Amino acid sequence: MQHFDNASAGDIVLSVADRIIENRAYLSEIDGKIGDGDHGVNMAKGFGMAAERIRGNDMSLAAAFDTLGTVLMTEIGGSMGPLYGVMFTQFAETIENSSSIDAKTFSTMLTNGLDGIQAIGSAKVGDKTLLDTLVPAIDAFDSANAGGKPFPDALDALVVAAEKGRDGTKDLVAKIGRASRLGERSLGVLDAGATSCALILKALALGAKQKLQLSAAAVR
């Protein structure tokens, strides 16, 4: 069974934060076309604050997720803070008692994060939101696992589906939030939340793959 240690994986969250901070201007540019234009700024602020608290503390993945989720829920503005905050908090609660993370645990973690988002929001797939990235990504990951694919290959499938879902939001009319007021004029533009979600999932997947490689090397 392929797995990596929870205790030494908190730095995965630092990699996620780095990707969000690097894309601050890009995310705000996308958001500015049909939204408030502050998505990148708010996300970079929250992820940056969390990274400062995580860096140098040798946190577990669960503890790092909990730190990030708490910051996003309590210390940044905008509509996305609570949504991502509850997702990462659910990630943390799912794995806090797991010494290692295998594909099954990773899947449960993702699904619980999705459930948390859906519990506080009314969006569904097709509404031009982060769910258009997250739902197909989880489906692809689970399908790869069910088909007997190795954990790293399932992570690759997750990223491909996430980016396809993100790109697909260009062809959707916004049904939720400020962008929904634009109606058909929201066509032809990526959704900022779907875009940041794809960045997060790719960074998570890359971080997990690196940990799996280190774990496999240690066994040899």
Side-chain angles (χ1 to χ4, degrees):
M1 179 67 71
Q2 295 170 302
H3 58 83
F4 60 90
D5 288 340
N6 186 353
S8 60
D11 55 345
I12 291 176
V13 178
L14 294 178
S15 296
V16 175
D18 285 345
R19 296 295 83 73
I20 291 297
I21 293 166
E22 285 170 6
N23 285 278
R24 172 173 52 195
Y26 176 56
L27 291 171
S28 286
E29 178 189 348
I30 293 171
D31 192 38
K33 293 177 180 177
I34 57 173
D36 294 332
D38 60 357
H39 184 57
V41 173
N42 286 336
M43 291 284 284
K45 176 185 174 184
F47 279 74
M49 289 170 64
E52 288 176 9
R53 299 176 193 186
I54 295 167
R55 190 169 282 111
N57 286 321
D58 195 27
M59 286 188 182
S60 68
L61 182 58
F65 277 148
D66 186 61
T67 299
L68 177 57
T70 300
V71 168
L72 293 178
M73 281 196 291
T74 62
E75 300 189 41
I76 72 165
S79 60
M80 299 302 293
L83 293 172
Y84 277 131
V86 75
M87 181 181 83
F88 286 115
T89 300
Q90 288 293 323
F91 284 1
E93 290 180 2
T94 303
I95 65 172
E96 63 181 346
N97 295 318
S98 299
S99 60
S100 63
I101 312 297
D102 59 15
K104 182 179 179 181
T105 303
F106 199 84
S107 170
T108 303
M109 179 190 85
L110 292 172
T111 299
N112 287 348
L114 170 62
D115 289 346
I117 290 172
Q118 292 180 316
I120 64 169
S122 59
K124 57 186 182 296
V125 173
D127 285 348
K128 199 179 180 94
T129 71
L130 69 90
L131 295 186
D132 293 300
T133 293
L134 184 57
V135 170
I138 295 173
D139 287 346
F141 183 77
D142 288 346
S143 292
N145 283 326
K149 298 283 188 182
F151 193 174
D153 290 359
L155 290 166
D156 288 340
L158 178 145
V159 173
V160 170
E163 294 183 341
K164 182 178 179 182
R166 171 204 65 198
D167 292 345
T169 61
K170 273 191 173 183
D171 301 320
L172 298 174
V173 173
K175 304 284 180 58
I176 297 287
R178 180 168 181 165
S180 64
R181 294 180 233 163
L182 297 175
E184 296 289 330
R185 286 180 290 159
S186 63
L187 280 169
V189 179
L190 289 172
D191 177 68
T195 303
S196 61
C197 188
L199 290 169
I200 289 166
L201 291 175
K202 184 172 184 178
L204 275 180
L206 288 174
K209 286 178 69 175
Q210 289 171 351
K211 295 298 182 184
L212 288 168
Q213 289 173 351
L214 291 171
S215 181
V219 172
R220 291 191 193 119

